[in-house]
Amino acid sequence: MNSHSHRFIEEFDGFVGFGLNRESDSDTVIYYLQKFSDDDLMAVLRKRLTDEDRQAIFDLLSGLLRKHLSEPEYHRYFLKTDH
């Protein structure tokens, strides 16, 4: 199974901004998520996030995964395991 990757953020040279159109909105969400999940940033934020912050992030992400992925897709693309 493939390991995790963040190639988009390394290769993207387009517009970063929200509200212009669906394509740039999608690019911006990917950009922000990959920047947000950077290990160095997470090392700082994990000490500062409140219990409520962590719960909100978890609820948002797990809810989106449940809404948009089948169980096999969840295992393949998120967990990176064979199902």
Side-chain angles (χ1 to χ4, degrees), residues 57-67:
I57 293 167
F58 180 81
D59 289 346
L60 173 65
L61 295 176
S62 61
L64 289 170
L65 291 169
R66 279 192 305 276
K67 180 178 179 180

Side-chain angles (χ1 to χ4, degrees), residues 27-43:
D27 289 344
T28 299
V29 168
I30 295 167
Y31 182 92
Y32 267 63
L33 286 171
Q34 290 189 358
K35 294 287 272 185
F36 185 78
S37 66
D38 179 77
D39 288 343
D40 292 336
L41 177 58
M42 282 291 98

Side-chain angles (χ1 to χ4, degrees), residues 2-55:
N2 291 332
S3 62
H4 296 91
S5 64
H6 286 86
R7 286 185 291 276
F8 182 88
I9 193 68
E10 300 299 334
E11 299 169 359
F12 182 70
D13 66 353
F15 175 76
V16 176
F18 204 82
L20 183 63
N21 57 52
R22 184 177 175 84
E23 183 177 354
S24 64
D25 288 354
S26 294
D27 289 344
T28 299
V29 168
I30 295 167
Y31 182 92
Y32 267 63
L33 286 171
Q34 290 189 358
K35 294 287 272 185
F36 185 78
S37 66
D38 179 77
D39 288 343
D40 292 336
L41 177 58
M42 282 291 98
V44 172
L45 287 179
R46 75 179 300 158
K47 298 171 188 171
R48 299 178 185 176
L49 294 172
T50 64
D51 291 345
E52 293 81 14
D53 294 334
R54 285 189 299 276
Q55 186 70 54

